[in-house]
Amino acid sequence: MSRGLAQIGEQTITVIDTPGMYSLLPISEEEKVTRDLLLIEPVSVVIHVVDGKNLGRMLPLTFQLIEAGLPVILAVNMMDEAQGWGLNLRQDALEMELEIPVVCMSAALNQGIDELRQRIAPFLPIQTEMIPV
Ligand SMILES: Nc1nc2c(ncn2[C@@H]2O[C@H](COP(=O)(O)OP(=O)(O)OP(=O)(O)O)[C@@H](O)[C@H]2O)c(=O)[nH]1
Ligand SMILES: [Mg+2]
């Protein structure tokens, strides 16, 4: 697990990268680490990064995260490969179905990162210096 900083507009936020997890009922020790973090650490938003080529296998966890009451953004990654396979994802349909923000991206190609930043922003607490006096 690693922590780093990211810039969202004017705000610097801490990002925690967790080991991969496929269920909230963890099988491996690494998954337990991630599950425990999600239960313990108060976070502004959980970004569930999934492989766009295996959406069917990944979405059950997205549903579990939502049902657990966590604020979730679904980041459908590997879109370059998914599109190479001829897979076309309806971002708007997924958003309607899941009722959470969905961002399609190719992290390796730096595509979709700006949109992800934009979708993260509304989840962040308002900084006091941002409130006009
Ligand atoms: N083609 C393509 N490759 C990608 C993309 N994003 C990540 N990768 C590659 O996928 C591989 C795995 O990336 P990781 O960031 O280690 O994936 P992860 O989900 O964090 O893996 P774990 O932490 O082991 O669960 C690397 O070789 C990345 O370069 C993408 O958008 N497109
Ligand atoms: Mg990783």
Side-chain angles (χ1 to χ4, degrees):
M1 186 135 48
S2 57
R3 285 166 196 254
L5 299 177
Q7 201 69 29
I8 306 289
E10 301 280 291
Q11 300 195 57
T12 304
I13 64 164
T14 300
V15 179
I16 310 171
D17 180 32
T18 66
M21 184 175 71
Y22 294 94
S23 166
L24 270 185
L25 296 170
I27 298 160
S28 69
E29 279 304 313
E30 287 215 313
E31 286 187 308
K32 257 184 216 149
V33 169
T34 303
R35 194 266 321 263
D36 291 348
L37 178 104
L38 285 170
L39 297 179
I40 292 160
E41 181 109 13
V43 294
S44 300
V45 63
V46 175
I47 303 164
H48 188 203
V49 183
V50 302
D51 181 347
K53 306 191 298 299
N54 288 307
L55 204 55
R57 196 164 72 101
M58 313 298 250
L59 281 184
L61 178 58
T62 313
F63 284 115
Q64 288 179 30
L65 295 171
I66 295 167
E67 274 168 22
L70 294 162
V72 184
I73 294 176
L74 178 63
V76 185
N77 193 36
M78 304 269 194
M79 284 305 295
D80 54 326
E81 291 190 350
Q83 280 163 352
W85 285 22
L87 296 174
N88 260 318
L89 292 176
R90 293 268 318 278
Q91 176 179 352
D92 53 347
L94 267 175
E95 289 196 338
M96 292 259 285
E97 200 62 45
L98 297 171
E99 299 180 330
I100 59 166
V102 176
V103 178
C104 295
M105 56 190 272
S106 301
L109 304 178
N110 211 21
Q111 285 169 2
I113 306 294
D114 281 342
E115 191 190 343
L116 181 60
R117 283 183 210 276
Q118 284 166 20
R119 304 305 291 272
I120 290 169
F123 288 88
L124 303 179
I126 300 166
Q127 290 179 316
T128 46
E129 59 263 38
M130 288 167 69
I131 301 170
V133 283

